[in-house]
Every structure is written in C-alpha cells, then in structure tokens.
Amino acid sequence: MHNICIYIHIERERERQTDRERDSRLYIYRYIYWLSIFIYPYLHLQLSIVAKTKNMGFFKTESMVYKPVKEVDLGPESSEFYLRANVKAPRMAGILVKVFAWFLESRIFGTLLLYILKGNNLIHKLIRDAELEEPPIYTPLHPFEDLKEQDVKCIESDLSGPEQVRLAIDCLPVSLEKPLNGSNLPFYRWTISDYSKAYSSGEITPLVVAERFIAAVHESSSPPLQMSFFINYTAEDILSQAKESTLRYEKGAPISVLDGVPIAIKDEIDCMPYPTTGGTKWLHKQRPCTDDASCVKRLRLCGAILVGKTNMHELGAGTSGINPHYGAARNPYDPSRITGGSSSGSAALVAAGLCPAALGVDGGGSVRIPASLCGVVGLKPTFGRIPHSGVLPLNWTVGMVGILAGSIEDAFIVYAAMSGESPFHQSSMLPKLNLPKLNGTTPVNIKLAKSVEWFNDCSDDIRTCCDDALQKLHKHHGWKTVEVTIPEIEVMRLAHYLTIGSECSTSLSSYLQKLNFAELGWDARVALAVYGAFSGKEYIKAQQIRNRQMQFHKKIFAQADVIVAPTTGKLLT
C-alpha cells in the first residue's frame, strides 16, 4: 500500500511538471509571437528592398557616393541635405527585451535580425557600401599649429599637478567674498575656492566636511530618496584622507587649492582601494584594480579627497544612467527623472552639491549628456590631453576622461590638475597647453559657428533657451555668430556608433569569452550583440568618414573659434 501511494504521488508530480512545462512553453511562444510583430516590419521592408534591387544581387542595397571634401560647400547657403537622425529599432521593455536579446544572440535569427537592423538604419548605404576617396584615420590627432591665441598662459610640459593648479588659479578672476554659512539662499553649491578659503580661515576642516559628506550620502541612499550615487565608497578611507588634509592645513602647508576638496570618480577609472566594475557585477573579478589611474594619481598629488566610485550605465553602453545592478542614479532636481549617462552618478553628485567636481569618461556624450540633464558643466577634453592609463579600455580612440563640475572655474582647475602627457604614452603631436586668462581685462573676440538646421533640430523650449544664450553672449561680450553648414551629421553619428561599438566589443572580447551572459543586464546584452555584428570593413569605412569630418571641422574652425549646439535635443524622463 505504501509503494502504491508513492507511485500515485510520483505520477501526480509528473503530471504537474508536464503542466508547468506546457504553460512555460505557451508563455514563451506567446512572447515570441508578440516579438515577431516587432520583427515583421523589418523583414517586410528588407524584402521590399531586395525586390527593388533584384538585379543588383541578393540583399544588396544602393550605396552613397560622397563628393571629395574640397568640393563640399560649408557656407550657410549650402545645398548639402540635412538628414535627421531616425533610429529604427523596436521600442520594448520587460519580457520583450529579454526575448529580443535572445533572438539577437542566436546564431540563426541574430545574424538576420542584425543585418536588417543595420540596413534599416542606413549603415549599409551610408557607411559600409559608400564610396569615399579619403583614407581612414585611426587616431584623432591634429598636426600642431602654433596659433597666436588671445590672452593665454602657456604651461610647460614638465610641471607637476600642484604647479599647474597654481598657474590656473592665477588665470581666474578674483571672486567676490560670498557668505557661506550666512547665506539666505535655500541652496548653495560650494566651489573649490569656497572649500579652500574655509579651510585656510579655520571656518571648517576637511575632516568635518568628510563627516558631513558621509552622513549626506547615507541619507540620500536610503528610502525615500534612494539616489544611488555610488557603486562603492568607504567611510574609513574618506576619513583617513580628510584627517591627513586637516593636519596639513593645521601646519599651514596645504598642497594646493584642491587639498581637502571632495572629488568623486566614475567606476570606469581605477582608484584605490576600490574595484573597478564598469557598472557590472563581474568585470572587476577578471580585471582587478591594482593602482590608481594616471588622472587619479594627479588629483591625489594635489591633496584632493577621493570619495568613492560613482554609479554608471553598465559598461557605458547607454545614455539613461539606469543600472540594473546598482540602481538608477536619480536626478537631484527631480528624483523621478533620469540623470542621463553613462556618467550618471558623477553628474548627480555634483548637481546635488555633494562634490564641486567629479570625473567621468566620455566616448559619445557620457559626460556632456548627464551634465546637460543635471544642469552642471561637462567637459570632454581633446584626445590625449588627459592620460588614459588606468581607465577601462572600452573605446580607445573616442573615449576620454572628462570632468563634471558645478562651475566653469572648477572644471578649469581640475583640468589643469590632470592635463599633461603620461610618461608611458608621450606624443610629439600634442599642442602646448595654453590656459585662458579669465581675469584679463582686454575684450576677447570670439566667433561662434552655428549650423542652423542642426542647431534647430530640437524641442522649441531648448532651442529658445540656446538662442537666448547666444544673444546674451553677443550683448555682454560682443561675440558674433557665424552661420555655417556641417555636412553629413547623421553619417558622422553612424560612423561614430560603428567606431565606439567595434572598439567596445573588441576590448571586452577576452572577458566575454569567459562570461556567463546571465550576469549582464538585458540592455547591455542587446548593445553587445549589435556591437559584435560590425565588420572590419564597416570599421575602416567609419574611419574614412572620421577623416572627412576632421577636414570639414578644420575648415570651420578656420573661420570660427567654437561650434555651438544644444547638448540634448529634448527633455528626457
């Protein structure tokens, strides 16, 4: 009887297991069906293209023939056609993203789907099959031209970080004394100068600032705010640095104006004693952090308090700043909105007033986009200006260490501290470092280049705001706006996407071979699948486009000093 009961129990379990498996299959089939609704338009459109070009060969599309650079008109009346960005990809969330990622990663469906996606987004027409006469260029370095710049201070290449900071301070205007604790303002961001003056006067110490900083971060990381500024920070390390800085001030021997100033580091940059995760849960296990990055060493030599590793979009492969492992860094102006990315935590910390400056890395807007959405200053320096050693090599030729700061002056000071060649990567092609004399009394004549159609390709409120800024610069400083045409902007965007995607996929290839993809977020999986689909031919064609654009920009900079445009085209939620 006992054996019969066991047998009945086993049979019932088998029936329940069969029911669960059937329900699971139905569940998967249902979502594959719905996903096919997204995929069908791509298949239909691509097959239509094939039907129209059947005499040209299977899956062959028309190609673009580009005029030589010397024949392209860059003037305001240019006949060059402005092609608006029109990203064609299914918009989805939740389970659909997971199924879509599965399709992309499958050998059969993925190859076809990626081919169609690239074709529909004009990568085949404008990049892969394009005809260009310009050779490719792989490192974006310009030949040095010793221009007679207005009101600048030339910096010698052998100076230390503190010496460069001192010279940068000499270029700044003398600021008016501002009441710090006695201000009636509901919110006031302390600048680097504010910290330095308060420390030197004994009004406050770096140790007190560190204690208040730790308390503020703890409060903002807890409900109901849950701002998710950091991936990693250690109170003990912050307090240890603050105590050393406090002792230096007590002895009357601060290293520089940055001594005791809290600065945060994006978790794409090596900074001891923290692991460098790149916003993942796995990368630091395969690539341990053993030393500070060169830029971090220079800040540490200036006495800055390095307060931890900030949140970021996973692998920098997105611009929302939402991280599936460490939470979404929230916008301090409205916690229901995003910060932008990928340097999301750095921008949010500065906007919240917890740090006057923070480091990010910018390959395709990852400093400038969150700076724009969080209302702070974002600077992506020229290639090679700041040493890149000790930074995750996610994109070798487009990614640079950048700065997020509460003011232009603070970005200027941090840039001066970090800039200069690495002893391991010296180049004779870099121009001399010239710091602008912002305290000069002689008016500086600046010309602003405005590509009208590109400038106006944004929402009305942003366009109005940016136009007002140009009018104020003209009214108060006499700066004139020159209308130009920047051709092939959408082609440039696609070539950039090909470049950054190919370099990211290649740099991570050895790690991804050992990785269980379940450890990746779904949007990162989709991005890596697309990146891995780019071919060597497409990458080289993208570098030909880069050469064209560098020549176009060189011509524009011959008649203007700055190209102006909105950073983000519309408000994001």
Side-chain angles (χ1 to χ4, degrees):
M1 185 66 182
H2 179 69
N3 291 338
I4 292 174
C5 290
I6 293 176
Y7 173 78
I8 294 172
H9 176 73
I10 291 173
E11 285 300 309
R12 287 177 177 172
E13 280 299 311
R14 286 176 177 169
E15 290 174 2
R16 280 194 287 267
Q17 181 68 24
T18 301
D19 291 342
R20 282 196 294 268
E21 290 175 355
R22 184 176 64 252
D23 292 343
S24 177
R25 284 196 299 270
L26 290 173
Y27 187 72
I28 293 172
Y29 293 156
R30 187 182 299 121
Y31 280 103
I32 290 176
Y33 166 76
W34 284 110
L35 185 68
S36 69
I37 293 177
F38 287 96
I39 296 174
Y40 175 74
Y42 295 104
L43 288 168
H44 178 73
L45 181 59
Q46 188 65 58
L47 291 174
S48 299
I49 293 172
V50 172
K52 292 177 184 177
T53 58
K54 60 183 179 180
N55 295 327
M56 300 171 62
F58 186 67
F59 276 152
K60 188 170 184 179
T61 60
E62 57 181 320
S63 61
M64 177 68 74
V65 179
Y66 292 102
K67 292 186 290 187
V69 168
K70 60 185 178 183
E71 297 178 12
V72 178
D73 181 10
L74 305 183
E77 304 301 324
S78 173
S79 60
E80 292 295 316
F81 177 71
Y82 178 73
L83 178 63
R84 292 176 180 268
N86 184 19
V87 179
K88 293 183 179 179
R91 296 184 179 181
M92 57 186 70
I95 189 67
L96 288 178
V97 175
K98 299 178 182 180
V99 178
F100 187 64
W102 179 82
F103 267 98
L104 288 179
E105 292 167 355
S106 69
R107 293 187 177 182
I108 299 175
F109 294 110
T111 302
L112 177 61
L113 185 56
L114 287 164
Y115 183 92
I116 294 172
L117 282 170
K118 289 196 292 182
N120 285 349
N121 285 278
L122 302 180
I123 287 175
H124 296 161
K125 177 182 178 180
L126 299 181
I127 307 291
R128 189 196 67 183
D129 299 327
E131 296 181 26
L132 309 97
E133 72 169 30
E134 290 79 22
I137 186 167
Y138 300 102
T139 304
L141 287 173
H142 301 263
F144 171 59
E145 297 179 21
D146 194 6
L147 301 175
K148 298 293 183 182
E149 296 193 68
Q150 309 172 58
D151 268 358
V152 297
K153 178 178 287 188
C154 183
I155 304 300
E156 300 297 330
S157 60
D158 58 347
L159 295 181
S160 67
E163 289 172 322
Q164 292 189 171
V165 168
R166 180 180 56 79
L167 292 175
I169 294 296
D170 292 341
C171 293
L172 295 177
V174 177
S175 59
L176 297 175
E177 292 296 327
K178 300 175 183 177
L180 298 179
N181 293 330
S183 174
N184 293 323
L185 295 173
F187 176 75
Y188 175 76
R189 283 197 194 99
W190 276 35
T191 65
I192 291 172
S193 178
D194 290 333
Y195 281 102
S196 180
K197 290 175 182 177
Y199 294 156
S200 297
S201 67
E203 179 182 350
I204 200 169
T205 68
L207 182 57
V208 172
V209 166
E211 290 169 344
R212 292 179 181 177
F213 173 86
I214 293 165
V217 170
H218 177 74
E219 180 182 356
S220 62
S221 302
S222 306
L225 294 175
Q226 294 180 306
M227 299 297 287
S228 302
F229 292 136
F230 283 98
I231 287 178
N232 241 318
Y233 76 98
T234 304
E236 292 78 7
D237 182 66
I238 296 171
L239 293 173
S240 174
Q241 295 177 73
K243 289 175 182 176
E244 292 176 3
S245 178
T246 300
L247 287 174
R248 289 193 291 270
Y249 275 100
E250 289 175 351
K251 294 176 181 178
I255 299 173
S256 75
V257 72
L258 284 170
D259 205 336
V261 175
I263 295 181
I265 310 296
K266 182 182 181 181
D267 202 11
E268 194 175 331
I269 305 170
D270 287 344
C271 178
M272 298 296 287
Y274 307 102
T276 301
T277 72
T280 72
K281 284 288 189 180
W282 56 270
L283 187 55
H284 60 287
K285 300 173 187 175
Q286 298 191 36
R287 179 196 174 275
C289 173
T290 58
D291 195 6
D292 287 337
S294 291
C295 56
V296 172
K297 285 182 179 179
R298 294 185 178 189
L299 290 176
R300 206 184 286 276
L301 288 172
C302 290
I305 298 177
L306 308 175
V307 293
K309 306 294 287 294
T310 57
N311 204 349
M312 60 177 287
H313 203 107
E314 187 176 12
L315 292 174
T319 57
S320 71
I322 298 173
N323 188 297
H325 313 296
Y326 303 102
R330 299 177 182 273
N331 197 312
Y333 284 98
D334 183 351
S336 67
R337 292 180 179 269
I338 63 170
T339 59
S342 62
S343 305
S344 50
S346 292
L349 270 174
V350 173
L354 292 175
C355 292
L359 298 191
V361 180
D362 191 319
S366 288
V367 163
R368 294 160 290 166
I369 292 171
S372 172
L373 297 184
C374 291
V376 298
V377 175
L379 172 64
K380 178 183 181 179
T382 302
F383 180 86
R385 278 298 195 187
I386 295 176
H388 207 69
S389 58
V391 181
L392 290 181
L394 297 180
N395 28 77
W396 295 285
T397 69
V398 293
M400 291 77 167
V401 173
I403 301 161
L404 297 114
S407 68
I408 291 174
E409 292 84 355
D410 286 352
F412 182 65
I413 293 169
V414 175
Y415 173 70
M418 296 190 301
S419 62
E421 292 182 329
S422 168
F424 306 106
H425 301 88
Q426 293 186 347
S427 170
S428 59
M429 296 184 68
L430 278 180
K432 298 174 183 177
L433 177 61
N434 290 326
L435 298 180
K437 295 180 180 178
L438 302 180
N439 55 2
T441 56
T442 305
V444 179
N445 182 28
I446 300 292
K447 289 184 179 179
L448 310 172
K450 176 183 178 182
S451 187
V452 177
E453 285 191 278
W454 183 41
F455 188 98
N456 292 337
D457 191 5
C458 59
S459 60
D460 292 340
D461 51 348
I462 292 176
R463 181 170 58 252
T464 300
C465 180
C466 292
D467 275 329
D468 289 345
L470 292 182
Q471 291 174 14
K472 288 180 179 178
L473 289 172
H474 176 69
K475 179 180 178 181
H476 295 292
H477 302 285
W479 294 3
K480 295 181 180 179
T481 299
V482 179
E483 291 190 1
V484 299
T485 297
I486 304 177
E488 304 166 17
I489 288 179
E490 175 61 5
V491 179
M492 176 171 59
R493 185 188 70 81
L494 292 173
H496 169 268
Y497 185 64
L498 265 164
T499 301
I500 197 170
S502 299
E503 293 183 1
C504 179
S505 176
T506 303
S507 70
L508 293 172
S509 59
S510 60
Y511 303 129
L512 295 176
Q513 291 174 1
K514 310 169 189 175
L515 179 67
N516 176 2
F517 270 61
E519 296 184 67
L520 280 169
W522 290 103
D523 61 336
R525 289 175 66 169
V526 170
L528 289 173
V530 175
Y531 294 168
F534 296 141
S535 67
K537 177 181 178 180
E538 289 166 339
Y539 181 80
I540 292 174
K541 284 291 182 73
Q543 306 323 300
Q544 291 182 268
I545 297 294
R546 170 183 262 179
N547 189 353
R548 285 176 65 81
Q549 283 297 327
M550 289 179 71
Q551 292 184 54
F552 290 146
H553 281 69
K554 185 177 181 180
K555 287 186 176 182
I556 291 171
F557 283 126
Q559 55 180 311
D561 303 289
V562 180
I563 297 174
V564 291
T567 305
T568 47
K570 62 180 180 179
L571 297 176
L572 302 174
T573 56

